[in-house]
Amino acid sequence: MVNVVKQRYGGIVFLEPDQVGLRIIDRQEKRPVTTVESGNLNVGTSMVANYAENMDAIVDNLIGFQRVLKEYQVDEVEFYGALEDLDEVTARYVADQLSVRCGLEVNWLSDNQLIARTLVAIKDQHKRQGIKEGADTFVLLVGLSTSTLAYFKKGVFETSWNIDLGKAKISQLAENLRQTTATPSDIIFDYISSKVEYLVGELGDVENATLIVQGVSVLADAYLERGQFLGEVALDDFDTSYRRITDSTDQYVINHYQVDEQSVGWVLPSFLIISQTLRLLHAKQLYVTGVTPFEGLIAVREGQESQISQMIRTSADNIARRYGVKLAHRAFVTKVTLELFDALAPIHRLDEHYRLLVEIASKVDDIGNFISPQGHYRHSAYILEANPLIGLSDQDNRVIAEVSRYHSSESPDVDEHHYRNMDDEIQLPVAKLAAILRVADSLDDSRQQKISKLELALEGNRLLIYAHASDDLVLEKWAFQRKNKLFTDVYGLQPELIAKGDN
């Protein structure tokens, strides 16, 4: 018998619009060994993700990283890239070029995936440094093209909001404004206000909140000691710095805060976003964090996926509640959907991740009723397309939207536009999950949860569904017969609903 020695060191490479970095990790002690970072990459003017034009610089750095990995005898490397605002087609081109020139296969992560991973890492550091879990905490992630505000109630994730404000995008706006006005900061301040004021009605009465800011390096450099991930910023100190930066030249900021010529344009927008968020929240404490996406990637790698799954479920419950989906119906359909998924595991051969996706779809499939019961499944789909859920990839969010689209009347077939234009790799999973959800939904067509228990049995080409109920199931039987054709087409099984009285 050959003893396989697990390699001590592992490597993570992360590509962002403004930088590419390598971190080598000691797997046994679960700590970073070394971090190597490139110089600044030039962000784009229309889309900040400017990977194609930075390709030579990215490749040169990746080749250098490979030499470092060889020195540490690291064979297993995980390579991630931030999609930011990159479109799918360009992402494929960039990935192919990187594969050809470096032999590395990039795993693109959506903003929503990176946000969830970063929040997990911040929460971990928040706990380690002893900040009271009883406090209501907001986390502001300041990005290049967009920002995110997340709310933790007594340490538990409650909700998040994507804000159309990013430091690079606002910097570009400021540059344009300088052509026509001598004081662009006042206009930018009003612009930022217009992007965050809508949150006032959603935030409710949160008192004595703590705000943690991520993604603002000038604050992190000023308030964090070496190796520290979280530091408090006195509100008066922040206000003084904010007013000084507002009235300063770029050269002063470069000299005083030790930033480069590209990043200097991001300093004032970052402070403006933080200032408006503090005003909006009436926060009593301000912290800055040095947590980067690297910490988020490592945290998930070390088995904290369950925290992200819980964020996804919470976000799905939030959107279902916002659009008026009845809790009892949602709970029933979700329970039955998962029972069917588990019973059919040998047949559908989909993994646990797809189990999570169909669970989420069962929570949100009826949100379109908020717009109109007529064609509600279509409304559900485009609401979900416009409101992607935190923690999920763009493809995962599309699977959920399409499963919701096909959970009622329309069927995923070659004549259906959305199904025909879907990526090949998700066409069959969408059909399999939609077929399960359609059957589950039909069993509560009356919205009265008449069925108290289900027993499932596979006999030949039949799926027997024994439904225990104390009331008649006339409507459910009619809906079941109407909706189960897709199930038969996809699985080759004939579902049969058999009513049994409760004992």
Side-chain angles (χ1 to χ4, degrees):
M1 183 176 178
V2 178
N3 291 323
V4 178
V5 179
K6 186 176 180 180
Q7 192 178 57
R8 177 162 185 169
Y9 297 127
I12 295 179
V13 175
F14 183 55
L15 173 62
E16 302 176 82
D18 62 326
Q19 193 175 62
V20 57
L22 163 68
R23 182 163 295 183
I24 294 177
I25 305 155
D26 187 321
R27 289 170 167 167
Q28 294 178 11
E29 298 184 13
K30 296 184 178 180
R31 63 174 179 83
V33 175
T34 189
T35 300
V36 186
E37 295 176 336
S38 72
N40 281 348
L41 304 174
N42 293 321
V43 301
T45 54
S46 57
M47 295 192 303
V48 300
N50 196 24
Y51 297 135
E53 293 185 26
N54 287 312
M55 183 57 65
D56 288 343
I58 293 169
V59 169
D60 287 346
N61 278 282
L62 290 176
I63 291 172
F65 292 169
Q66 288 173 322
R67 288 195 290 267
V68 176
L69 289 164
K70 187 175 181 179
E71 290 174 8
Y72 279 87
Q73 299 181 333
V74 177
D75 295 326
E76 296 180 14
V77 182
E78 298 172 27
F79 181 23
Y80 298 97
L83 278 172
E84 198 77 18
D85 54 4
L86 195 67
D87 65 86
E88 291 181 7
V89 174
T90 306
R92 291 193 190 102
Y93 295 159
V94 171
D96 187 65
Q97 292 176 51
L98 292 172
S99 176
V100 170
R101 297 177 66 173
C102 303
L104 294 172
E105 304 297 328
V106 63
N107 177 14
W108 292 115
L109 297 177
S110 70
D111 289 351
N112 281 297
Q113 288 176 294
L114 286 170
I115 287 165
R117 285 160 170 75
T118 305
L119 288 173
V120 167
I122 291 173
K123 187 172 184 296
D124 182 54
Q125 294 300 327
H126 179 279
K127 188 174 181 180
R128 289 187 188 187
Q129 291 196 214
I131 297 177
K132 291 188 298 183
E133 288 281 23
D136 287 326
T137 303
F138 290 89
V139 180
L140 176 65
L141 309 178
V142 182
L144 292 173
S145 60
T146 61
S147 296
T148 297
L149 183 66
Y151 173 43
F152 290 83
K153 185 174 182 179
K154 297 182 179 179
V156 178
F157 175 79
E158 279 283 306
T159 190
S160 64
W161 302 268
N162 291 325
I163 307 172
D164 189 20
L165 295 170
K167 54 193 176 187
K169 287 292 180 70
I170 297 175
S171 176
Q172 292 162 11
L173 172 64
E175 190 61 35
N176 293 334
L177 287 171
R178 285 193 182 96
Q179 310 302 319
T180 57
T181 178
T183 56
S185 59
D186 291 340
I187 299 173
I188 296 171
F189 190 85
D190 290 341
Y191 174 78
I192 291 172
S193 296
S194 72
K195 297 292 185 181
V196 299
E197 286 296 338
Y198 78 95
L199 292 176
V200 173
E202 295 195 35
L203 290 172
D205 299 322
V206 179
E207 298 180 353
N208 301 318
T210 295
L211 177 64
I212 300 175
V213 175
Q214 185 268 347
V216 182
S217 60
V218 294
L219 278 178
D221 293 343
Y223 288 93
L224 295 179
E225 301 293 335
R226 183 176 179 85
Q228 189 181 20
F229 281 102
L230 204 62
E232 185 169 7
V233 182
L235 293 178
D236 288 343
D237 287 352
F238 173 81
D239 189 56
T240 299
S241 298
Y242 165 62
R243 284 187 278 106
R244 183 183 298 129
I245 288 169
T246 303
D247 297 330
S248 299
T249 63
D250 283 355
Q251 192 58 52
Y252 172 85
V253 176
I254 289 172
N255 295 338
H256 191 76
Y257 291 98
Q258 299 180 331
V259 295
D260 56 60
E261 291 186 1
Q262 175 170 264
S263 303
V264 67
W266 303 345
V267 175
L268 177 58
S270 298
F271 273 72
L272 286 167
I273 293 170
I274 296 168
S275 177
Q276 282 291 63
T277 306
L278 284 169
R279 180 188 63 80
L280 184 71
L281 300 175
H282 306 290
K284 300 301 182 184
Q285 288 182 300
L286 174 63
Y287 285 83
V288 63
T289 177
V291 168
T292 69
F294 268 123
E295 280 73 42
L297 294 170
I298 293 167
V300 172
R301 184 180 183 177
E302 292 178 355
Q304 298 194 43
E305 296 96 335
S306 61
Q307 291 188 47
I308 292 180
S309 296
Q310 194 53 51
M311 283 186 190
I312 297 167
R313 292 185 178 98
T314 299
S315 297
D317 289 335
N318 287 341
I319 197 170
R321 186 164 51 248
R322 182 189 313 163
Y323 287 97
V325 179
K326 298 298 183 185
L327 177 59
H329 174 68
R330 187 189 346 150
F332 176 91
V333 174
T334 300
K335 178 176 180 293
V336 173
T337 296
L338 294 179
E339 288 178 1
L340 286 167
F341 183 93
D342 292 342
L344 294 167
I347 298 171
H348 61 59
R349 293 172 295 173
L350 298 174
D351 61 21
E352 284 294 305
H353 186 66
Y354 277 110
R355 188 180 192 273
L356 174 63
L357 298 187
V358 77
E359 176 187 349
I360 300 306
S362 68
K363 292 173 179 285
V364 299
D365 63 340
D366 277 344
I367 60 177
N369 280 313
F370 183 86
I371 296 174
S372 173
Q374 185 69 30
H376 75 280
Y377 42 90
R378 295 192 199 104
H379 303 317
S380 295
Y382 67 69
I383 290 172
L384 291 166
E385 288 165 358
N387 295 273
L389 297 172
I390 190 171
L392 293 174
S393 68
D394 292 341
Q395 180 170 284
D396 289 341
N397 273 297
R398 184 162 190 199
V399 167
I400 291 168
E402 297 301 337
V403 170
S404 298
R405 182 190 306 279
Y406 298 123
H407 87 278
S408 183
S409 299
E410 290 187 355
S411 293
D413 56 47
V414 72
D415 296 325
E416 214 288 320
H417 169 76
H418 285 88
Y419 189 71
R420 187 171 64 249
N421 289 283
M422 203 180 297
D423 290 344
D424 292 346
E425 62 189 287
I426 65 171
Q427 278 186 335
L428 187 55
V430 164
K432 289 179 176 181
L433 299 182
I436 288 173
L437 181 53
R438 188 178 288 205
V439 169
D441 191 64
S442 73
L443 297 177
D444 192 35
D445 207 62
S446 67
R447 302 300 196 267
Q448 295 179 27
Q449 299 80 55
K450 297 175 183 177
I451 298 172
S452 60
K453 185 175 71 171
L454 289 177
E455 295 175 36
L456 306 173
L458 285 169
E459 291 188 5
N461 65 345
R462 297 186 302 160
L463 173 64
L464 305 181
I465 303 175
Y466 296 97
H468 294 257
S470 56
D471 204 344
D472 71 81
L473 298 178
V474 174
L475 181 58
E476 281 72 18
K477 288 180 178 178
W478 173 80
F480 182 82
Q481 291 300 323
R482 187 169 60 91
K483 292 184 176 183
N484 67 24
K485 183 180 183 301
L486 175 62
F487 187 93
T488 300
D489 291 344
V490 171
Y491 290 105
L493 296 172
Q494 182 60 51
E496 296 181 18
L497 179 58
I498 303 166
K500 302 185 73 175
D502 276 341
N503 294 327

